[in-house]
Amino acid sequence: MTQENEEEATSPIYLATVSAPTNIACIKYWGKADAHWNTPTNDSVSVTLDQSDLCAVTTAAASTRFTKDRLWLNGIEDVDATNNRRFRACIDGVKHLANDEKWKDMKIHVSSYNTFPTAAGLASSAAGYAALVAALAKLMDAKEDYPGQLTTIARQGSGSACRSLYGGFVAWRQGGQKEDWSDSLAEQVADEKHWPELRALIMVVSDAKKDTSSTSGMSTSVATSTLLQHRIQHVVPERMKEIESAFLAKDFERFGKVTMRDSNQFHAVCMDTYPPIFYLNDTSTTIIRIIHAYNAWAGEIRAAYTFDAGPNAVLYTLDQYAVEVAALMLHYFPEPSSSSSSNGENYVNNQEFAKSLQEFTLNPELLAATDKTGRVPAAGDVKMVYYTKSGPGPQTLSLEESNLDPKTGLNIYSP
């Protein structure tokens, strides 16, 4: 037996690879109640998106052969990972739930990549930390002591990551009744099959890293915004009841209205922060005006916008209106000429959907109504459009899809 074979036999490398979804909040969380436990000042709720185009893929490996914990993000090693409190909280938290004592003596290697721009306001950290916890839990066969315990671990990595551990419509309960915040966890309100007609259109306005990080923005808002305190105490509790009721009833009129109003108030809180925080840009506010003009023309809410901490628009709609909504958006925000082909294959992610947009004719009366927003069709303000729907939580992938070499435990992923 060679030394390499002997090492493989006595110190095997164990691997698990999973994909995890991003999620887009309808009721926003903004502000930390406890920075150490990474807990929120209010409840929140989100739609988990399908992983076909938007997900994080993470491989976790463990072995006594490894000399230290290591992390690669999008193919590049983060040399400070072992000192990263969030990364450590996830590894140590899952190890505590492991089914075998052997895992406690092993170092961990992790390689993760996103299928969409990191730190661009598309909840990439939520998908990343959810994938990390899910991969570690799969690797070590971790067992929860109570429902939702793994979400409390993911929450310590990135707050909204707790919601990405479930599919469908997911609430993050604030908690705070327990000293260790173990009651600050995610709960699935409805799975991804509950409202199959729901669709999401994501307008990537900017794929650059945002100027003010969410963590920095939250702490400034908590310290300076009086509107945030009013929101926490008087607005969010009622909105949570309303939107959960609307989602379960599949009532898009109510769902859409609450979603838009909450997005507006979140950004009003950012404006009320001192100094103010600007996550929306001119393109974002133009999209808002077009959606309101569209709904007014339709005489009902057919599309609802929401914006997280960034300028990208997420438009919720129903299957029956998805082509009309997307065609309207592409009328005012057409494909940039640099987006290569005329069929928009690099502009709209779904080719079949892109073809249906080309074949759709917008109502002239609708365009007359939306033209009053002042928007003149111009390419370049939107970089890409994702058409998607609600989807499931983390999925286990095959060994062939691993980001780490099963023989060495080193990264093999390259963007």
Coordinates of all heavy atoms in Angstrom, one line a residue, residues 181-242:
W181 N -31.5 33.4 22.3 CA -32.2 33.8 21.1 C -32.5 32.5 20.2 O -32.6 32.6 19.0 CB -31.4 34.8 20.3 CG -31.4 36.2 20.8 CD1 -30.5 36.7 21.7 CD2 -32.3 37.2 20.5 NE1 -30.9 38.0 22.0 CE2 -32.0 38.3 21.3 CE3 -33.5 37.3 19.7 CZ2 -32.7 39.5 21.2 CZ3 -34.2 38.5 19.6 CH2 -33.8 39.6 20.4
S182 N -32.6 31.4 20.9 CA -32.9 30.1 20.1 C -34.3 30.2 19.5 O -34.7 29.3 18.7 CB -32.7 28.9 21.0 OG -33.5 29.0 22.1
D183 N -35.1 31.1 19.9 CA -36.5 31.3 19.4 C -36.5 32.2 18.2 O -37.6 32.5 17.6 CB -37.5 31.7 20.4 CG -37.0 33.0 21.2 OD1 -35.9 33.4 21.0 OD2 -37.9 33.5 21.9
S184 N -35.3 32.8 17.8 CA -35.2 33.6 16.6 C -34.9 32.7 15.4 O -33.8 32.4 15.1 CB -34.2 34.7 16.7 OG -34.1 35.5 15.6
L185 N -36.0 32.2 14.8 CA -35.8 31.1 13.8 C -36.8 31.3 12.6 O -37.7 32.1 12.7 CB -35.9 29.8 14.4 CG -37.1 29.5 15.4 CD1 -38.4 29.4 14.6 CD2 -36.9 28.2 16.1
A186 N -36.5 30.5 11.6 CA -37.4 30.6 10.4 C -38.5 29.5 10.5 O -38.2 28.4 11.0 CB -36.6 30.4 9.1
E187 N -39.6 29.8 9.9 CA -40.8 28.9 9.9 C -41.4 29.0 8.5 O -41.5 30.0 7.9 CB -41.9 29.2 10.9 CG -41.5 29.0 12.3 CD -42.7 29.4 13.2 OE1 -43.6 30.0 12.8 OE2 -42.6 29.0 14.4
Q188 N -41.7 27.8 7.9 CA -42.3 27.8 6.6 C -43.8 28.1 6.7 O -44.5 27.3 7.4 CB -42.0 26.4 5.9 CG -42.5 26.4 4.5 CD -42.3 25.0 3.8 OE1 -42.8 24.0 4.3 NE2 -41.5 25.0 2.7
V189 N -44.2 29.1 6.1 CA -45.7 29.5 6.1 C -46.4 28.6 5.1 O -47.5 28.1 5.4 CB -45.9 31.0 5.8 CG1 -47.3 31.4 5.8 CG2 -45.1 31.9 6.8
A190 N -45.8 28.5 3.9 CA -46.4 27.6 2.9 C -45.3 27.2 2.0 O -44.3 27.9 1.7 CB -47.4 28.4 2.1
D191 N -45.4 26.0 1.4 CA -44.3 25.5 0.6 C -44.4 26.0 -0.8 O -45.4 26.7 -1.2 CB -44.2 23.9 0.6 CG -45.4 23.2 -0.1 OD1 -46.1 23.9 -0.9 OD2 -45.7 22.1 0.2
E192 N -43.4 25.7 -1.7 CA -43.4 26.2 -3.0 C -44.5 25.8 -3.9 O -44.7 26.3 -5.0 CB -42.0 25.9 -3.6 CG -41.7 24.4 -3.9 CD -41.2 23.7 -2.7 OE1 -41.2 24.3 -1.6 OE2 -40.8 22.5 -2.9
K193 N -45.2 24.7 -3.5 CA -46.3 24.2 -4.4 C -47.7 24.9 -4.0 O -48.7 24.7 -4.7 CB -46.5 22.7 -4.2 CG -45.2 22.0 -4.6 CD -45.3 20.5 -4.3 CE -44.0 19.7 -4.6 NZ -44.0 18.4 -4.2
H194 N -47.7 25.7 -2.9 CA -48.9 26.3 -2.5 C -49.5 27.3 -3.5 O -50.7 27.3 -3.7 CB -48.7 27.0 -1.1 CG -49.9 27.7 -0.7 ND1 -51.1 27.1 -0.2 CD2 -50.2 29.1 -0.7 CE1 -52.0 28.0 0.2 NE2 -51.5 29.2 -0.1
W195 N -48.7 28.1 -4.1 CA -49.1 29.2 -5.0 C -48.3 29.0 -6.3 O -47.5 29.9 -6.6 CB -49.0 30.5 -4.4 CG -49.8 31.6 -5.0 CD1 -50.6 31.6 -6.1 CD2 -49.9 33.0 -4.5 NE1 -51.2 32.8 -6.3 CE2 -50.8 33.6 -5.4 CE3 -49.4 33.7 -3.4 CZ2 -51.2 35.0 -5.2 CZ3 -49.7 35.0 -3.2 CH2 -50.6 35.7 -4.1
P196 N -48.6 28.0 -7.1 CA -47.7 27.7 -8.3 C -47.8 28.8 -9.3 O -46.9 28.9 -10.2 CB -48.3 26.4 -8.8 CG -49.7 26.3 -8.3 CD -49.7 27.0 -6.9
E197 N -48.8 29.7 -9.3 CA -48.9 30.7 -10.3 C -48.0 31.9 -10.1 O -47.9 32.8 -10.9 CB -50.4 31.2 -10.4 CG -51.4 30.1 -10.8 CD -51.9 29.3 -9.6 OE1 -51.6 29.6 -8.5 OE2 -52.6 28.3 -9.9
L198 N -47.5 32.0 -8.9 CA -46.7 33.2 -8.5 C -45.4 33.2 -9.3 O -44.7 32.2 -9.5 CB -46.3 33.2 -7.0 CG -45.7 34.5 -6.5 CD1 -46.8 35.6 -6.5 CD2 -45.3 34.2 -5.0
R199 N -45.0 34.4 -9.9 CA -43.8 34.6 -10.6 C -43.0 35.8 -10.1 O -43.6 36.7 -9.5 CB -44.1 34.8 -12.1 CG -44.8 33.6 -12.8 CD -43.9 32.4 -13.0 NE -44.5 31.3 -13.7 CZ -45.2 30.3 -13.0 NH1 -45.3 30.4 -11.7 NH2 -45.7 29.3 -13.7
A200 N -41.7 35.8 -10.4 CA -40.9 36.9 -10.1 C -40.0 37.3 -11.3 O -39.5 36.4 -12.0 CB -40.0 36.5 -8.9
L201 N -39.9 38.6 -11.5 CA -39.1 39.1 -12.5 C -38.0 40.0 -11.8 O -38.4 41.0 -11.1 CB -40.0 40.0 -13.5 CG -39.4 40.3 -14.8 CD1 -39.3 39.1 -15.7 CD2 -40.3 41.4 -15.5
I202 N -36.8 39.7 -12.0 CA -35.7 40.4 -11.3 C -35.0 41.3 -12.4 O -34.4 40.8 -13.3 CB -34.7 39.5 -10.6 CG1 -35.5 38.6 -9.6 CG2 -33.6 40.3 -9.9 CD1 -34.6 37.5 -9.0
M203 N -35.0 42.6 -12.1 CA -34.4 43.5 -13.0 C -33.0 43.9 -12.4 O -33.0 44.6 -11.3 CB -35.2 44.8 -13.2 CG -36.7 44.6 -13.5 SD -37.0 44.0 -15.1 CE -36.7 45.5 -16.1
V204 N -32.0 43.4 -12.9 CA -30.6 43.7 -12.4 C -30.2 45.1 -12.9 O -29.7 45.2 -14.0 CB -29.6 42.6 -12.7 CG1 -28.2 42.9 -12.1 CG2 -30.1 41.2 -12.3
V205 N -30.4 46.0 -12.0 CA -30.1 47.4 -12.3 C -28.6 47.7 -12.2 O -28.0 48.4 -13.0 CB -30.9 48.4 -11.4 CG1 -30.5 49.8 -11.6 CG2 -32.4 48.2 -11.7
S206 N -28.0 47.1 -11.2 CA -26.6 47.2 -11.0 C -26.0 45.9 -10.4 O -26.6 45.3 -9.5 CB -26.2 48.3 -10.0 OG -24.9 48.3 -9.6
D207 N -24.9 45.4 -11.0 CA -24.3 44.2 -10.5 C -23.0 44.5 -9.8 O -22.2 43.7 -9.6 CB -24.1 43.2 -11.6 CG -23.2 43.7 -12.7 OD1 -22.8 44.9 -12.6 OD2 -23.1 43.0 -13.8
A208 N -22.9 45.8 -9.4 CA -21.7 46.2 -8.6 C -22.0 46.1 -7.1 O -23.1 46.0 -6.7 CB -21.4 47.7 -9.0
K209 N -20.9 46.0 -6.4 CA -21.0 46.0 -4.9 C -21.6 47.3 -4.4 O -21.2 48.4 -4.8 CB -19.6 45.7 -4.3 CG -19.7 45.2 -2.8 CD -18.4 44.7 -2.4 CE -18.5 44.2 -0.9 NZ -17.3 43.5 -0.5
K210 N -22.5 47.2 -3.5 CA -23.2 48.4 -3.0 C -22.3 49.3 -2.1 O -21.4 48.8 -1.5 CB -24.5 48.1 -2.3 CG -24.4 47.1 -1.2 CD -25.7 46.4 -0.9 CE -25.6 45.4 0.2 NZ -26.8 44.5 0.3
D211 N -22.6 50.6 -2.1 CA -21.8 51.5 -1.4 C -21.8 51.3 0.1 O -20.8 51.4 0.8 CB -22.2 53.0 -1.7 CG -21.9 53.3 -3.1 OD1 -21.0 52.7 -3.7 OD2 -22.5 54.2 -3.7
T212 N -23.1 51.1 0.6 CA -23.3 51.0 2.1 C -23.7 49.5 2.3 O -24.8 49.1 1.9 CB -24.3 51.9 2.6 OG1 -24.0 53.3 2.2 CG2 -24.5 51.8 4.1
S213 N -22.9 48.7 3.0 CA -23.3 47.3 3.3 C -24.5 47.3 4.2 O -24.8 48.3 4.9 CB -22.1 46.6 4.0 OG -22.0 47.1 5.3
S214 N -25.2 46.2 4.2 CA -26.5 46.1 5.0 C -26.1 46.2 6.4 O -26.8 46.9 7.2 CB -27.1 44.7 4.7 OG -27.5 44.6 3.4
T215 N -25.1 45.6 6.9 CA -24.7 45.6 8.3 C -24.4 47.0 8.8 O -24.9 47.5 9.8 CB -23.4 44.7 8.6 OG1 -23.7 43.4 8.2 CG2 -23.0 44.7 10.0
S216 N -23.7 47.8 8.0 CA -23.3 49.1 8.3 C -24.6 50.0 8.3 O -24.8 50.8 9.2 CB -22.3 49.7 7.3 OG -22.2 51.1 7.4
G217 N -25.4 49.8 7.3 CA -26.6 50.6 7.1 C -27.6 50.4 8.3 O -28.2 51.3 8.8
M218 N -27.7 49.1 8.7 CA -28.7 48.8 9.8 C -28.3 49.5 11.1 O -29.1 50.0 11.8 CB -28.7 47.2 10.0 CG -29.5 46.4 9.0 SD -29.4 44.7 9.5 CE -29.8 43.9 7.9
S219 N -27.0 49.4 11.4 CA -26.6 50.0 12.7 C -26.8 51.5 12.7 O -27.2 52.0 13.7 CB -25.1 49.6 13.0 OG -24.3 50.1 12.0
T220 N -26.6 52.1 11.6 CA -26.8 53.6 11.5 C -28.3 53.9 11.6 O -28.7 54.9 12.3 CB -26.2 54.1 10.2 OG1 -24.9 53.7 10.0 CG2 -26.2 55.7 10.2
S221 N -29.1 53.1 11.0 CA -30.6 53.3 11.0 C -31.1 53.1 12.5 O -31.9 53.9 12.9 CB -31.3 52.4 10.1 OG -31.0 52.7 8.7
V222 N -30.7 52.0 13.1 CA -31.1 51.8 14.5 C -30.7 52.9 15.4 O -31.5 53.3 16.3 CB -30.5 50.5 15.0 CG1 -30.7 50.3 16.5 CG2 -31.1 49.3 14.3
A223 N -29.6 53.5 15.2 CA -29.1 54.6 16.0 C -29.7 55.9 15.7 O -29.8 56.8 16.6 CB -27.5 54.7 15.9
T224 N -30.2 56.2 14.5 CA -30.7 57.5 14.2 C -32.1 57.6 13.6 O -32.6 58.8 13.6 CB -29.7 58.1 13.1 OG1 -29.8 57.3 11.9 CG2 -28.3 58.1 13.6
S225 N -32.7 56.6 13.2 CA -34.0 56.7 12.5 C -35.2 56.5 13.5 O -35.4 55.5 14.1 CB -34.2 55.7 11.4 OG -35.5 55.7 10.9
T226 N -36.0 57.6 13.7 CA -37.2 57.5 14.5 C -38.3 56.8 13.8 O -39.1 56.1 14.4 CB -37.7 58.9 14.9 OG1 -37.8 59.7 13.8 CG2 -36.7 59.6 15.9
L227 N -38.3 56.8 12.5 CA -39.3 56.1 11.7 C -39.1 54.6 11.9 O -40.1 53.8 11.9 CB -39.2 56.5 10.2 CG -40.1 55.7 9.2 CD1 -41.6 55.9 9.6 CD2 -39.9 56.2 7.8
L228 N -37.8 54.1 12.0 CA -37.6 52.7 12.2 C -38.2 52.2 13.5 O -38.8 51.1 13.5 CB -36.1 52.4 12.2 CG -35.7 51.0 12.5 CD1 -36.3 50.0 11.4 CD2 -34.2 50.8 12.5
Q229 N -38.1 53.0 14.5 CA -38.7 52.6 15.8 C -40.3 52.5 15.7 O -40.9 51.5 16.2 CB -38.3 53.5 16.9 CG -36.8 53.7 17.1 CD -36.1 52.3 17.3 OE1 -36.6 51.4 18.0 NE2 -35.0 52.1 16.6
H230 N -40.9 53.4 15.0 CA -42.3 53.4 14.8 C -42.7 52.1 13.9 O -43.7 51.4 14.2 CB -42.8 54.6 14.0 CG -44.2 54.6 13.6 ND1 -45.3 54.7 14.5 CD2 -44.8 54.4 12.4 CE1 -46.4 54.6 13.8 NE2 -46.1 54.4 12.5
R231 N -41.9 51.9 12.9 CA -42.1 50.7 12.1 C -42.1 49.4 12.8 O -43.0 48.5 12.7 CB -41.0 50.7 11.0 CG -40.9 49.4 10.2 CD -39.9 49.5 9.0 NE -39.6 48.2 8.5 CZ -40.4 47.6 7.6 NH1 -41.6 48.1 7.3 NH2 -40.1 46.4 7.2
I232 N -41.0 49.2 13.7 CA -40.9 48.0 14.5 C -42.1 47.8 15.4 O -42.6 46.7 15.5 CB -39.6 48.1 15.3 CG1 -38.3 48.1 14.4 CG2 -39.5 47.0 16.3 CD1 -37.0 48.5 15.0
Q233 N -42.5 48.8 16.1 CA -43.5 48.7 17.1 C -44.9 48.6 16.6 O -45.8 47.9 17.1 CB -43.4 49.8 18.1 CG -42.1 49.8 18.9 CD -41.8 51.1 19.7 OE1 -42.7 51.8 20.0 NE2 -40.5 51.4 19.9
H234 N -45.2 49.4 15.5 CA -46.6 49.6 15.1 C -47.0 49.1 13.7 O -48.2 48.9 13.5 CB -47.0 51.1 15.2 CG -46.7 51.7 16.6 ND1 -47.5 51.4 17.7 CD2 -45.8 52.6 17.0 CE1 -47.0 52.0 18.8 NE2 -46.0 52.8 18.4
V235 N -46.0 49.0 12.9 CA -46.3 48.7 11.5 C -46.1 47.2 11.1 O -47.0 46.5 10.6 CB -45.5 49.5 10.5 CG1 -45.9 49.2 9.0 CG2 -45.8 51.0 10.8
V236 N -44.9 46.7 11.4 CA -44.6 45.3 11.0 C -45.5 44.2 11.6 O -46.0 43.3 10.8 CB -43.1 45.0 11.3 CG1 -42.8 43.5 11.1 CG2 -42.2 45.8 10.4
P237 N -45.9 44.3 12.8 CA -46.7 43.2 13.4 C -48.0 43.0 12.6 O -48.4 41.9 12.3 CB -47.0 43.7 14.8 CG -45.8 44.5 15.2 CD -45.5 45.2 13.9
E238 N -48.7 44.1 12.2 CA -49.9 44.0 11.5 C -49.7 43.6 10.0 O -50.5 42.8 9.5 CB -50.7 45.4 11.5 CG -51.3 45.7 12.8 CD -52.2 44.6 13.4 OE1 -53.1 44.2 12.6 OE2 -52.0 44.2 14.5
R239 N -48.6 44.1 9.5 CA -48.3 43.7 8.1 C -48.0 42.2 8.0 O -48.3 41.6 7.0 CB -47.2 44.5 7.5 CG -47.6 45.9 7.1 CD -46.5 46.7 6.3 NE -47.0 48.0 6.0 CZ -46.3 49.0 5.7 NH1 -44.9 48.9 5.7 NH2 -46.8 50.2 5.3
M240 N -47.3 41.7 9.0 CA -47.0 40.2 9.0 C -48.3 39.4 8.9 O -48.4 38.5 8.1 CB -46.2 39.8 10.2 CG -44.7 40.3 10.1 SD -43.8 39.4 8.8 CE -43.7 37.7 9.5
K241 N -49.3 39.8 9.8 CA -50.5 39.1 9.8 C -51.2 39.2 8.4 O -51.8 38.2 7.9 CB -51.5 39.6 10.9 CG -51.0 39.4 12.3 CD -51.9 40.1 13.3 CE -51.4 40.1 14.7 NZ -52.2 40.9 15.6
E242 N -51.2 40.4 7.9 CA -51.9 40.6 6.6 C -51.3 39.9 5.5 O -52.0 39.2 4.7 CB -51.9 42.1 6.3 CG -52.6 42.6 5.0 CD -54.1 42.5 5.0 OE1 -54.7 42.2 6.1 OE2 -54.7 42.7 4.0

